[in-house]
Amino acid sequence: MSLATRYLGLPLAHPIVASASPLTATLDGMRRLEDAGAAAVVMTSLYEEQIRAEDTAYARYTEHGSNSQAEAGSYFPEIPGYDSGVSGHLETLMRASEALDIPVIASLNGTTAEGWTGHARAFEQAGAAAIELNVYSVPIDFAATGAEVERRTIEIVRQVAATVRIPVSIKLVPYFSSLPHMASELVRAGAAGLVLFNRLYAPDIDLATLRVTRSLPLSTASELPLSLVWIALLSRRLGCSLAASRGVETHVEVVKYLLAGADVVTTTSALLRHGPPYLATMRDGLERWLGENGFDSVTAIRGLKDATHAEHVDALFRAQYVAALTEYLPGKLVQ
Ligand SMILES: Cc1cc2nc3c(=O)[nH]c(=O)nc-3n(C[C@H](O)[C@H](O)[C@H](O)COP(=O)(O)O)c2cc1C
């Protein structure tokens, strides 16, 4: 039985990857995931807000220094606590990349061109096996068209891919008018892989306090279909790796994503819910399912149910209600 796969050109022992989360924020956390059997880990994202906050603190410090010392221009000060921000993140990445045998993928959520490329280069220097660009920002400018938002994203990918030599993947949200076109433009811009899809904060209003709240509830398998359909539609149609993300509760969802055409399946909620050792439970479940169903490898099932197979096209493309509605016809319900 071979569970081996490739993702972003990296050979992996099996297809289950721990996605970015608080579990991958520290060296200890990433080591625990490796010990539990993760094929690769994606480190918690470095957010540009985090970078800016630190730069502001840094600028305040250096400005203070240059005012008081004429020679301060080239002086790089020792800043107490500086290590907890960007440099702390890079330090953790560097130590994890050295210490772990599995690939450590760095993740970046920038907001400016310099933020993206500068930090991507730093990730590469710190030893990241690949970089995942977490490209979501809420477009709140009423004058910005969808095409402009897409162009900006594509330009970021082009610049980052031209800056580093390690593979770059793009973690997307599903909100594009034409995802196939956007996906192929991202690949043309240098993306080696796409991650479908990220989950976002869920703002709400607390009626008791009338405060706007935000939380990130853990996912369930009910979130699977959106990513599943798009993995199946894009599978083998783009020259890049596909990582499935969202709604993996057990090995069952892992198998479904592989059948749809994913190269790897990423998971966060299940690991937060059950702890890192659950990774091995999912991997063993995948192996068992393959054996029980007469398959000898992950490769044997990848894409078996993707949209390149004519018999599945109708179910995947016509994701409409006609067929499903008939299930709910009164005669059928009273059975
Ligand atoms: C508490 C929490 C923190 C997360 N932090 C990040 C992050 O830093 N960067 C990122 O790209 N995704 C982050 N995610 C999203 C996960 O990586 C993952 O894509 C998402 O939860 C969907 O997978 P799941 O259904 O298996 O949870 C976070 C998710 C959770 C629940």
Side-chain angles (χ1 to χ4, degrees), residues 205-211:
I205 298 172
D206 182 334
L207 291 190
T209 60
L210 289 187
R211 289 174 59 162

Side-chain angles (χ1 to χ4, degrees), residues 32-207:
R32 258 198 296 277
L33 287 161
E34 176 176 59
D35 292 345
V41 290
V42 182
M43 194 176 156
T44 314
S45 298
L46 179 67
Y47 290 90
E48 198 164 338
E49 287 90 337
Q50 190 182 336
I51 299 164
R52 288 238 194 86
E54 188 170 271
D55 283 352
T56 309
Y58 178 72
R60 227 182 287 125
Y61 190 97
T62 48
E63 275 159 23
H64 173 79
S66 49
N67 286 341
S68 57
Q69 290 176 259
E71 71 278 21
S74 61
Y75 171 63
F76 193 90
E78 290 286 331
I79 303 178
Y82 189 65
D83 270 0
S84 61
V86 180
S87 46
H89 193 100
L90 290 172
E91 175 78 25
T92 302
L93 172 62
M94 194 165 70
R95 289 171 60 212
S97 304
E98 274 170 17
L100 271 54
D101 290 327
I102 55 172
V104 177
I105 299 170
S107 167
L108 179 61
N109 178 286
T111 53
T112 64
E114 312 79 64
W116 289 105
T117 53
H119 292 89
R121 196 178 296 113
F123 281 172
E124 180 174 43
Q125 283 162 1
I131 296 176
E132 185 174 287
L133 302 180
N134 171 4
V135 289
Y136 189 62
S137 67
V138 181
I140 50 172
D141 178 356
F142 283 75
T145 65
E148 280 163 11
V149 172
E150 291 186 1
R151 225 178 358 260
R152 273 204 296 273
T153 304
I154 292 161
E155 195 44 41
I156 287 163
V157 173
R158 194 187 319 284
Q159 287 183 18
V160 172
T163 302
V164 295
R165 265 181 273 177
I166 51 177
V168 176
S169 66
I170 321 300
K171 191 173 189 180
L172 292 174
V173 290
Y175 311 124
F176 292 99
S177 304
S178 175
L179 194 61
H181 177 259
M182 182 63 182
S184 53
E185 287 299 303
L186 290 169
V187 174
R188 269 159 48 100
L194 300 178
V195 185
L196 309 177
F197 292 109
N198 207 344
R199 286 174 84 234
L200 306 172
Y201 274 118
D204 200 356
I205 298 172
D206 182 334
L207 291 190

